[in-house]
Amino acid sequence: MSSKRIGFAGLGLMGSRMAARFLEPGYELSVWNRSVEKCAPLQAKGARVAASPRELAESADVVFSSLADPPAVERLVFAPDGVLQAARPGFRYVETSTISPDLSRRLIEAFRERGADALEAPVTGSKNGAAQGTLVLMTGGRRETHDELLPLLAVLGPKIIYCGEAGSAAVVKLVGNTIISFMLEGLCEGLVVARKAGLPFETLLEVIMASGYASPYFTFKGGAIARRDFEQHFSIDLLVKDQNLMLQEAHVRQAPMPGLAAIREVFQAARAQGHGQADIAAVVQVLERAAGL
Ligand SMILES: NC(=O)c1ccc[n+]([C@@H]2O[C@H](COP(=O)([O-])OP(=O)(O)OC[C@H]3O[C@@H](n4cnc5c(N)ncnc54)[C@H](OP(=O)(O)O)[C@@H]3O)[C@@H](O)[C@H]2O)c1
């Protein structure tokens, strides 16, 4: 596998760190990003910069993508200069972005029609996990393609879970971000009430972490809120994108999600108040304001 040429499209918070991981074991790496200046740090480390997604795919055996949302992925794959134009037998495409199950299925089908194949492989673990290669990956598509690409996926993280046919990993990923939404909303609502009741933040967090409902997620986000550190790990804009994708899937499946629908409104308010590009922990500020703090 180390002889495989890797292409990486999308050098945002996650993609820039994931792409960099292929350089250390010696993979030949090409990159593409809409804003070309973000390619410079990887170019300085030896990556080649492609002028278009099509050129990226022409110079790679396997192309990974990490883009913001479904429209960005549509552009990357299906545009006249898109990755699909260079798909050929043996070519592989790995979609790590969080997108809709429907788009996952459509793009996998499109690659198969050209004799190539694709795998959806959404990730969890934030930019720290992307940098350290400790992401959890969920895959969907053909089992054989998952098995074939395992050595490359392992560059990004040690835990790679096959979820089923095309679209299934996207559903699992959206469920995960729904749980994150509930956990963060629960933590933030609780913190605001506790603060109004005069309780120290540390006391609340200590009890949470000693309890049966403890989670590393509460130390990660609770710690950031305690420090008022809202530097972006995962933006409010992108979490709202995922909440919308989940609600859309729930609508299609006729499965009501009243809790998520309500939580989405709080995150939408955060966007309206100018926090869209802040980390998701910044949602606490909306609840603080609403509580008169
Ligand atoms: N951050 C996390 O903790 C995390 C964790 C798991 C999964 N994810 C998912 O991973 C993906 C990337 O997240 P991120 O946090 O790295 O996002 P990000 O930092 O905002 O980066 C987004 C990337 O998408 C590109 N992009 C946006 N719109 C585009 C368009 N219309 N055409 C082409 N390129 C476009 C951006 O290009 P420019 O540089 O030109 O703007 C950038 O490369 C998302 O799907 C996200 O939901 C994120």
Side-chain angles (χ1 to χ4, degrees), residues 10-15 32-35 38 66-69 71-72 75 96-99 123-127 173 177 232-235 238 241-242 277:
L11 303 176
L13 279 183
M14 297 296 286
W32 176 84
N33 193 65
R34 178 181 62 176
S35 312
K38 286 194 190 162
S66 174
L67 295 183
D69 52 19
R75 181 262 169 269
T96 74
S97 320
T98 308
I99 57 171
V123 301
T124 185
S126 195
K127 66 178 181 184
K173 173 63 192 171
N177 278 8
Q232 195 191 118
H233 287 259
F234 181 36
S235 72
L238 289 188
K241 174 257 303 180
D242 295 344
Q277 278 299 297

Side-chain angles (χ1 to χ4, degrees), residues 203-220:
T203 307
L204 195 66
L205 215 51
E206 191 182 347
V207 172
I208 290 172
M209 292 312 292
S211 73
Y213 47 89
S215 159
Y217 201 70
F218 289 135
T219 6
F220 179 34

Side-chain angles (χ1 to χ4, degrees), residues 60-79:
D61 303 304
V62 182
V63 166
F64 284 76
S65 143
S66 174
L67 295 183
D69 52 19
V73 170
E74 293 258 10
R75 181 262 169 269
L76 177 78
V77 175
F78 297 108

Side-chain angles (χ1 to χ4, degrees), residues 164-235:
E165 248 307 330
S168 48
V171 173
V172 175
K173 173 63 192 171
L174 293 175
V175 169
N177 278 8
T178 299
I179 293 170
I180 283 175
S181 300
F182 275 80
M183 288 174 81
L184 191 55
E185 180 70 14
L187 178 71
C188 292
E189 288 187 11
L191 288 177
V192 169
V193 178
R195 192 168 141 201
K196 292 202 90 172
L199 283 156
F201 190 102
E202 295 72 25
T203 307
L204 195 66
L205 215 51
E206 191 182 347
V207 172
I208 290 172
M209 292 312 292
S211 73
Y213 47 89
S215 159
Y217 201 70
F218 289 135
T219 6
F220 179 34
K221 292 302 175 193
I225 292 168
R227 295 190 304 278
R228 310 303 287 178
D229 170 9
F230 300 127
E231 182 203 323
Q232 195 191 118
H233 287 259
F234 181 36
S235 72

Side-chain angles (χ1 to χ4, degrees), residues 3 7 15 25 65 117 133 182 188 197 202 211 245 252 275 286 293:
S3 61
S65 143
D117 201 5
F182 275 80
C188 292
E202 295 72 25
S211 73
L245 291 175
V252 170
H275 302 303
V286 173
L293 288 172

